[in-house]
């Protein structure tokens, strides 16, 4: 019989933000903690489920999947398994449910089992891998509520791991840092999606966790995000104060790469306040600091995944647009797009819209529409920030060249995108 792809499972994994590796790791942990035997799933196992080559998982894996998902295997697109006499005995689902009540991230032991487990750096490594997956998802999609909620859930599960067993001070500090990292990603997704009230709530929780961790890098990230949040809210005084906290950390004085990011974001804040000379000076200092940074230095994945010369040009594009210097903004837009790494899908969409706006404001109407139309349809319709920016582009186009052919072309294009 030909394999029938399990589209239901695939859709659920996409909705929840699971990669094949992440789901395999999650299920293996639950199986291992609740049966005493490590789970044996890997990326290829999950791909076999999705492709239909395996029509239903084995009983322990199936029960673990149902606990992780909150759905039955049948509801996830699997078929009912016919058990042979040689097949393993089914796992008692009530045992799983009882244990799951005391489990979050790894499935700590239920009451009545052998004592608390030892939480170690191997657990921390798994948590950090999941954080890397969140970062990758953000750069692909950005601003989505599901990313925000998934990151917040992982923060809570990481804290629950603290209660799953005994751990050294080093491990506990690392787990607090990881929980703060997840919360800061939830904060960033909310900022990117223009859900500023939710972003503020995530910020407060992230700040507490960062203090508990003592990790200066995550403290920098949270305060730097706060500066960006206040800038987008139109509150440049608070934005500058928050970014100053990040820039004042010892880490920013020791590592020029962190100093560079702080300076570049401060330049964008200066633009919000209309301070043209400070914008130019701060971007110059940001580039100088980046050139001094040691490329071999080990830095957090959240920083290395996005911060480079292209990001400075992205911030400069935004800053000079705010100042109304559209020609300079356009130049930075072209430089940014030329330097963006391939995984920066969300950033490419935002930069493209900003570039189109810079062209439009210089009355390059035809070029502006061609540029704006190059934004992928999924970003144009599905990313909150991109959608708002494109609406603003259309409004300006209607004012600048309402009866033009490019304007008619743009309106027809947007009708197709929004269908």
């Amino acid at each position: 019989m030909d394999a029938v792809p399990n589209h239901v499972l695939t859709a659920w994994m996409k909705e929840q933000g699971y990669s094949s590796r992440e789901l395999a790791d999650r299920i293996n942990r639950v199986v291992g903690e609740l049966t005493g035997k490590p789970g044996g799933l890997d990326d290829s196992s999950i791909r076999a489920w999705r492709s239909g080559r395996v029509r239903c998982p084995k009983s322990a894996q199936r029960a673990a999947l149902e606990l992780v998902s909150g759905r039955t295997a049948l509801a996830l697109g699997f078929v009912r398994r016919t058990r042979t006499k040689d097949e393993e005995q089914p796992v008692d689902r009530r045992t799983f449910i009882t244990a799951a009540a005391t489990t979050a991230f790894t499935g700590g032991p239920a009451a009545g089992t052998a004592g608390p487990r030892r939480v170690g750096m191997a657990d921390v490594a798994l948590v950090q891998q999941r954080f890397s997956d969140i970062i990758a998802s953000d750069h692909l999609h950005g601003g989505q509520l599901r990313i925000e909620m998934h990151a917040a859930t992982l923060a809570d599960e990481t804290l629950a791991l603290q209660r799953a067993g005994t751990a050294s001070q080093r491990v506990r500090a690392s787990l607090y840092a990881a929980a703060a990292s997840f919360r800061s990603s939830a904060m960033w997704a909310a900022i990117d999606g223009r859900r500023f009230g939710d972003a503020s709530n995530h910020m407060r929780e992230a700040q507490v966790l960062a203090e508990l961790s003592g990790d200066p890098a995550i403290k920098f990230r949270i305060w730097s995000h706060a500066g960006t949040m206040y800038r987008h809210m139109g509150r440049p005084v608070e934005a500058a104060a928050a970014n100053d906290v990040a820039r004042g950390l010892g880490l920013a004085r020791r590592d020029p790469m962190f100093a560079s990011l702080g300076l570049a974001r401060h330049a964008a804040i200066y633009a919000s306040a209309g301070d043209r000379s400070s914008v130019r000076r701060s971007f110059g200092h940001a580039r100088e600091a980046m050139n001094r940074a040691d490329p071999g230095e080990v830095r957090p994945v959240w920083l290395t995944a996005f911060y480079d010369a292209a990001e400075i040009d992205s911030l400069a594009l935004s800053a000079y647009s705010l100042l109304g210097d559209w020609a300079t903004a356009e130049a930075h837009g072209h430089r940014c797009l030329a330097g963006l790494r391939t995984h920066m899908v969300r950033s490419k969409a935002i930069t493209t819209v900003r570039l189109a706006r810079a062209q439009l404001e210089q009355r390059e109407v035809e070029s502006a529409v061609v540029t704006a139309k190059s934004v992928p349809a999924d970003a144009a319709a599905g990313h909150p920030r991109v959608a708002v920016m494109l609406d603003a582009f259309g409004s300006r186009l209607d004012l600048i060249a309402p009866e033009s052919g490019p304007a008619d072309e743009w309106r027809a294009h947007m009708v197709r995108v929004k269908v």
Side-chain angles (χ1 to χ4, degrees):
M1 181 182 296
D2 293 337
V4 177
N6 188 339
H7 297 300
V8 178
L9 176 66
T10 299
W12 175 79
M13 289 176 61
K14 182 177 180 181
E15 176 188 349
Q16 297 299 316
Y18 277 117
S19 65
S20 293
R21 177 178 56 194
E22 184 177 13
L23 183 59
D25 288 343
R26 183 79 180 272
I27 292 173
N28 285 340
R29 282 303 183 101
V30 175
V31 170
E33 292 291 345
L34 298 175
T35 68
K37 299 178 181 179
L41 298 176
D42 57 18
D43 296 17
S44 63
S45 306
I46 305 301
R47 289 196 294 271
W49 291 2
R50 295 174 61 172
S51 69
R53 295 196 306 274
V54 173
R55 303 184 69 197
C56 191
K58 295 179 180 180
S59 61
Q61 297 167 352
R62 184 172 66 251
L65 173 63
E66 289 177 347
L67 284 173
V68 168
S69 66
R71 305 183 186 186
T72 66
L74 293 177
L76 287 172
F78 292 105
V79 298
R80 192 176 302 278
R81 189 178 183 88
T82 302
R83 190 164 64 91
T84 68
K85 64 180 181 179
D86 296 323
E87 189 179 28
E88 79 284 355
Q89 290 297 312
V91 176
D92 185 347
R93 182 168 174 79
R94 286 175 299 177
T95 301
F96 273 82
I97 293 172
T98 300
T102 61
T103 296
F105 204 88
T106 61
T113 65
R117 64 187 293 273
R118 181 73 175 175
V119 181
M121 291 306 294
D123 300 285
V124 172
L126 177 57
V127 172
Q128 291 171 338
Q129 179 56 57
R130 288 172 174 169
F131 179 60
S132 297
D133 292 340
I134 286 288
I135 294 295
S137 182
D138 175 66
H139 287 305
L140 280 174
H141 308 293
Q144 301 292 333
L145 180 61
R146 66 177 180 82
I147 296 176
E148 176 191 345
M149 299 308 295
H150 187 42
T153 297
L154 288 173
D156 291 340
E157 291 180 347
T158 302
L159 291 176
L161 183 56
Q162 294 267 19
R163 300 187 292 272
T166 60
S168 68
Q169 184 176 358
R170 176 191 176 204
V171 168
R172 294 209 180 279
S174 297
L175 290 174
Y176 279 126
S181 299
F182 285 128
R183 274 291 166 189
S184 65
S185 284
M187 175 188 176
W188 179 251
I191 293 169
D192 206 22
R194 295 303 187 262
R195 298 180 295 274
F196 296 123
D198 292 334
S200 297
N201 292 335
H202 292 307
M203 176 185 70
R204 286 189 287 271
E205 294 195 41
Q207 286 168 337
V208 172
L209 294 170
E211 290 300 324
L212 290 171
S213 76
D215 185 333
I218 194 57
K219 291 181 185 180
F220 182 99
R221 188 186 197 216
I222 293 162
W223 281 107
S224 185
H225 280 353
T228 301
M229 179 183 72
Y230 289 128
R231 173 166 61 87
H232 286 307
M233 293 172 71
R235 295 162 59 179
V237 174
E238 290 93 335
N243 200 54
D244 276 338
V245 175
R247 294 174 61 201
L249 292 170
L251 178 66
R253 294 191 295 273
R254 292 192 303 271
D255 188 340
M257 191 64 77
F258 282 90
S260 177
L261 176 56
L263 285 161
R265 285 183 167 168
H266 221 82
I269 294 168
Y270 284 133
S272 298
D275 189 344
R276 186 181 300 268
S277 61
S278 293
V279 168
R280 184 169 53 253
R281 182 173 60 253
S282 193
F283 276 129
H285 291 329
R287 290 191 180 87
E288 291 171 3
M290 178 173 284
N291 291 335
R292 293 196 309 272
D294 180 359
E297 182 82 17
V298 176
R299 298 182 176 93
V301 65
W302 61 262
L303 180 67
T304 58
F306 88 100
Y307 192 60
D308 54 16
E311 177 64 15
I312 294 180
D313 281 311
S314 173
L315 288 166
L317 165 60
S318 174
Y320 284 106
S321 295
L322 282 173
L323 293 171
D325 186 346
W326 300 107
T328 303
E330 181 182 5
H332 283 291
H334 287 298
R335 286 173 54 180
C336 177
L337 288 177
L340 274 177
R341 287 172 277 175
T342 55
H343 70 275
M344 302 288 283
V345 176
R346 160 200 162 276
S347 293
K348 183 177 180 180
I350 291 173
T351 300
T352 302
V353 181
R354 285 176 173 160
L355 174 59
R357 179 67 180 272
Q359 293 170 329
L360 178 62
E361 296 296 342
Q362 296 175 83
R363 303 311 189 258
E364 300 169 7
V365 177
E366 187 172 349
S367 296
V369 170
V370 170
T371 300
K373 285 177 63 180
S374 70
V375 175
D378 57 345
H383 189 292
R385 188 170 168 190
V386 173
V388 169
M389 293 170 69
L390 286 173
D391 285 344
F393 173 84
S395 297
R396 285 296 292 162
L397 179 61
D398 286 341
L399 287 173
I400 291 171
E403 305 300 328
S404 66
D408 292 338
E409 183 182 344
W410 175 251
R411 285 188 285 268
H413 172 73
M414 289 306 293
V415 168
R416 292 190 296 270
V417 166
K418 293 180 178 180
V419 170

